[in-house]
């Protein structure tokens, strides 16, 4: 799972770079990226109770807010919000998930 999460993070990072250079072309691939995000964020959300019971302090509200930011950025075609949400929120959340997978196993 660790490698799959890392691959998702790299895909999102590459996609963010595409959005910088050609936003319109990037928007054609948004559904693919959202599907990738959905898979891993959903898996993470399903494990948060477990991680918190092991001593972590993860708020589902923060992650839900990130997803709302992503949906708003897509809806309004806000290039800056979309890139920032992907790079500084979604990627950070997936990096945290990856670290927890490494620490606690799948």
């Amino acid at each position: 799972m660790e490698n799959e999460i890392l691959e998702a993070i790299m895909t999102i990072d590459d996609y963010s770079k595409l959005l910088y250079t050609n936003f319109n072309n990037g928007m054609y691939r948004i559904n693919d990226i959202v599907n990738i995000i959905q898979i891993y964020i959903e898996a993470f959300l399903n494990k948060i109770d477990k991680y918190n019971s092991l001593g972590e302090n993860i708020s589902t509200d923060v992650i839900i807010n990130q997803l709302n930011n992503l949906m708003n950025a897509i809806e309004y075609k806000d290039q800056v919000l979309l890139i920032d949400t992907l790079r500084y929120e979604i990627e950070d959340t997936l990096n945290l998930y990856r670290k927890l997978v490494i620490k606690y196993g799948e």
Side-chain angles (χ1 to χ4, degrees):
M1 178 66 95
E2 170 196 350
N3 291 332
E4 291 90 349
I5 298 168
L6 181 58
E7 187 175 316
I9 292 166
M10 292 184 330
T11 299
I12 294 166
D13 190 59
D14 289 343
Y15 177 72
S16 297
K17 291 173 186 170
L18 172 63
L19 289 173
Y20 272 125
T21 58
N22 194 330
F23 185 73
N24 290 329
N25 280 349
M27 289 305 290
Y28 286 114
R29 291 192 46 221
I30 192 67
N31 288 334
D32 297 334
I33 298 305
V34 169
N35 288 336
I36 291 168
I37 292 168
Q38 181 179 358
I39 291 166
Y40 294 101
I41 293 294
E42 185 176 312
F44 185 32
L45 287 169
N46 288 331
K47 294 179 182 175
I48 287 179
D49 286 341
K50 172 188 167 189
Y51 292 139
N52 285 344
S53 72
L54 295 169
E56 302 297 332
N57 185 19
I58 304 162
S59 170
T60 56
D61 291 341
V62 170
I63 298 169
I64 299 300
N65 189 48
Q66 292 172 355
L67 294 174
N68 287 333
N69 288 344
L70 179 63
M71 293 302 113
N72 286 333
I74 293 168
E75 179 181 350
Y76 295 110
K77 295 184 171 123
D78 185 327
Q79 181 179 18
V80 173
L81 181 59
L82 181 55
I83 293 168
D84 285 353
T85 301
L86 290 171
R87 294 193 89 172
Y88 304 114
E89 295 181 15
I90 302 295
E91 281 187 35
D92 287 351
T93 295
L94 293 178
N95 273 313
L96 172 61
Y97 180 33
R98 182 173 169 261
K99 289 176 186 176
L100 293 170
V101 166
I102 292 168
K103 184 175 180 178
Y104 298 112
E106 296 186 36

